[in-house]
């Protein structure tokens, strides 16, 4: 079976360090384990290709501006409208490449302005999956810039209607798709984790005089890292000398300098690793005693749509986890069994959970062991892909290897 994986979003390098890049790579690996030959068609290949994907065929067609030869992610005078149109044109070129090469299934990661799935699946008459990870239209408007919303809505409608299955990572994303394309054939397919790539941490404390809580992710406002730093400062103010916490921030982003200043102002010892390749994340987590997902209080009248990769990775690494009970997290973590859940917007409660872990080594080990077991049993990428292909088979009456 030949699978064409399409990602027309220039903000998602296939071989990169972002969570979205990890997602692309893991779905490709899951297809490989299912016996498929995969070719990736993208606008940005990236430079951090892992060894096990060294032979993965990649067709890269960067979007170019109408007024000059150059990728839209570069600098220059092109307008926002021109950049959006360039992405649409690059997606059409990717679809042409898929049709030229041929395939048995098209699997597209939803990108603004890309109707590649609709174009290629219609021409080849093969089944298609549209994977939707976020309400990108609203996300783009709120956090970046969206110039042609009508085009973005029209492209989503075309692609979702053409897909045999629209795989959404959370119930809020399912609802978002259905509100715009009521006829879309959706399936809920939350994120997963590679439990072979991420192995369980060694047992025991990492340092006799301090503990380290780790965070993995981009340093952007919606990840709540300032609240984590505040919670650690509060925990340390109450802890004994052997129960003090340090912080390891694994990732990078526009908020890094502010966070470094905040940590210094709070007197919190914090290590910022910067962006690291996905293969480096497990080893860095293994140097920590716990892991944190400190998402903030939800914005009124907006669903928390995320299916957090970091939490699945914490589970696979066998980490005792402290997380805020927002969005999909209560459906992933069982309070007191695979993690400790606290209310969002309450650093004191987060601090109390950290001090509870600091005082109870047996609790840390029990939570970590049960977290790992949950990852293996319930959250593999193979299981995620099986959900998607099962729905596709039902709708297309096709057999899968």
């Amino acid at each position: 079976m030949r699978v064409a994986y399409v990602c027309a979003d220039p903000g998602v390098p296939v071989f990169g360090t972002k969570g979205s890049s990890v997602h692309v790579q893991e779905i490709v690996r899951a297809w490989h384990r299912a016996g498929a030959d995969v070719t990736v068609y993208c606008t940005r290949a990236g430079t951090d290709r892992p060894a096990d994907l060294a032979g993965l065929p990649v067709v890269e067609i960067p979007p170019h501006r109408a007024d000059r030869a150059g990728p839209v992610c570069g600098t220059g005078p092109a307008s926002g409208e021109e950049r959006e149109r360039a992405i649409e044109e690059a997606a059409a070129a990717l679809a042409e490449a898929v049709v030229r090469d041929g395939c048995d299934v098209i699997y597209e990661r939803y990108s603004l302005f890309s109707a590649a799935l609709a174009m290629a699946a219609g021409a080849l008459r093969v089944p298609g999956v549209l994977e939707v990870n976020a309400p990108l239209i609203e996300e783009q408007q709120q956090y970046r810039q969206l110039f042609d919303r009508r085009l973005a809505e029209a492209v989503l409608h075309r692609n979702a209607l053409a897909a045999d299955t629209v795989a959404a990572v959370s119930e809020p994303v399912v609802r978002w798709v259905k509100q715009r394309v009521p006829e879309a054939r959706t399936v809920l397919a939350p994120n997963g984790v590679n439990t072979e790539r991420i192995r369980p941490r060694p047992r025991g404390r990492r340092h006799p005089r301090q503990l380290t809580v780790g965070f993995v992710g981009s340093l952007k406002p919606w990840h709540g890292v300032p609240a984590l730093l505040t919670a650690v400062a509060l925990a340390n103010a109450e802890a004994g000398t052997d129960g003090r916490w340090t912080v390891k921030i694994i990732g990078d982003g526009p908020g890094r300098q502010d966070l470094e200043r905040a940590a210094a102002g709070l007197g919190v010892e914090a290590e910022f690793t910067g962006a690291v390749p996905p293969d480096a994340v497990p080893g860095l987590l293994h140097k920590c005693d716990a892991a944190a997902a400190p998402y903030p209080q939800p914005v009124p009248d907006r669903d928390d749509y995320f299916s957090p990769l970091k939490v699945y990775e914490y589970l696979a690494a066998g980490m005792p986890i402290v997380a805020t009970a927002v969005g999909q997290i209560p459906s992933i973590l069982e309070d007191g069994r695979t993690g400790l859940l606290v209310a969002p917007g309450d650093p004191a409660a987060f601090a109390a959970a950290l001090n509870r872990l600091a005082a109870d080594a047996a609790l840390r080990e029990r939570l970590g062991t049960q977290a790992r077991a949950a990852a293996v049993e319930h959250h593999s990428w193979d299981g995620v892909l099986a959900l998607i292909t099962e729905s596709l088979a039902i709708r297309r009456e096709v057999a899968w290897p």
Side-chain angles (χ1 to χ4, degrees):
M1 176 177 292
R2 297 173 300 160
V3 174
Y5 185 111
V6 180
C7 180
D9 189 341
V12 179
V14 172
F15 304 119
T17 61
K18 301 166 70 172
S20 54
S21 303
V22 172
H23 196 290
V24 172
Q25 294 169 29
E26 293 297 357
I27 289 293
V28 168
R29 291 184 178 107
W31 274 115
H32 282 164
R33 290 191 293 272
D37 295 322
V38 182
T39 299
V40 171
Y41 299 81
C42 64
T43 57
R44 185 179 173 194
T47 58
D48 298 297
R49 185 187 284 247
D52 68 312
L53 297 178
L56 177 68
V58 176
V59 176
E60 182 182 19
I61 303 177
H64 287 76
R65 303 184 180 124
D67 61 338
R68 62 172 59 197
V72 299
C73 51
T75 59
S79 69
E81 292 90 341
E82 288 172 331
R83 290 194 295 271
E84 291 174 357
R85 189 64 65 181
I87 295 171
E88 182 188 24
E89 293 170 355
L94 291 174
E96 291 176 3
V98 172
V99 173
R100 180 192 65 229
D101 296 344
C103 65
D104 301 302
V105 178
I106 298 171
Y107 188 108
E108 179 166 14
R109 180 186 175 97
Y110 167 52
S111 305
L112 290 170
F113 313 114
S114 172
L117 184 152
M119 295 176 186
L124 293 172
R125 299 186 180 278
V126 298
V129 176
L130 181 65
E131 173 197 281
V132 182
N133 297 281
L136 290 184
I137 294 170
E138 284 74 15
E139 199 176 76
Q140 185 78 3
Q141 278 192 317
Q142 182 173 358
Y143 297 111
R144 291 174 286 274
Q145 286 182 305
L146 180 64
F147 293 91
D148 194 339
R149 180 171 181 130
R150 290 182 62 184
L151 175 61
E153 294 276 9
V155 167
L156 170 64
H157 189 274
R158 182 182 179 188
N159 238 18
L161 202 59
D164 293 271
T165 290
V166 178
V169 297
S170 67
E171 288 285 4
V173 174
V174 170
R175 291 194 294 270
W176 183 80
V177 172
K178 283 292 194 180
Q179 286 168 358
R180 283 149 187 82
V181 191
E183 309 92 335
R185 297 166 289 273
T186 57
V187 61
L188 176 62
N191 286 332
V193 68
N194 186 334
T195 56
E196 292 302 314
R197 181 176 70 86
I198 301 183
R199 304 298 300 171
R201 65 193 279 277
R203 295 174 64 88
R205 188 167 172 150
R206 298 295 165 265
H207 190 282
R209 303 292 293 175
Q210 65 187 32
L211 299 111
T212 299
V213 57
F215 167 88
V216 177
S218 60
L219 305 184
K220 295 177 179 177
W222 54 85
H223 286 154
V225 181
L228 172 61
L229 297 175
T230 300
V232 169
L234 292 172
N236 287 345
E238 300 176 6
T241 56
D242 292 344
R244 290 183 62 82
W245 289 92
T246 66
V247 183
K248 187 183 296 289
I249 307 294
I250 305 166
D252 212 341
R256 177 170 175 173
Q257 288 187 341
D258 288 341
L259 291 170
E260 289 175 335
R261 285 192 290 266
L266 290 165
V268 171
E269 182 182 338
E271 175 191 356
F272 290 78
T273 69
V276 300
D279 286 349
V281 170
L284 291 169
L285 281 176
H286 290 174
K287 295 178 181 178
C288 300
D289 301 279
Y295 290 100
Q297 186 79 33
V299 175
D301 301 321
R302 194 189 76 187
D303 286 327
D304 283 301
Y305 56 81
F306 54 86
S307 180
L309 280 174
K310 66 168 63 63
V311 175
Y312 295 105
E313 293 186 340
Y314 297 162
L315 288 168
M319 306 295 297
I321 303 165
V322 182
T324 48
V326 299
Q328 312 306 303
I329 290 179
S331 69
I332 304 168
L333 297 180
E334 183 179 346
D335 187 32
R337 186 174 181 277
T338 56
L340 300 179
L341 297 180
V342 302
D346 189 350
F350 211 102
L354 289 173
N355 279 340
R356 182 180 170 191
L357 290 179
D360 193 340
L363 175 63
R364 296 198 300 272
E365 296 301 332
R366 177 169 59 81
L367 290 175
T369 297
Q370 291 170 165
R372 171 69 185 183
V376 172
E377 186 173 354
H378 301 297
H379 301 300
S380 72
W381 283 114
D382 293 341
V384 172
L385 184 61
L387 279 173
I388 296 168
T389 55
E390 180 181 4
S391 68
L392 190 60
I394 290 170
R395 288 159 188 164
R396 273 277 177 158
E397 298 182 352
V398 295
W400 298 95

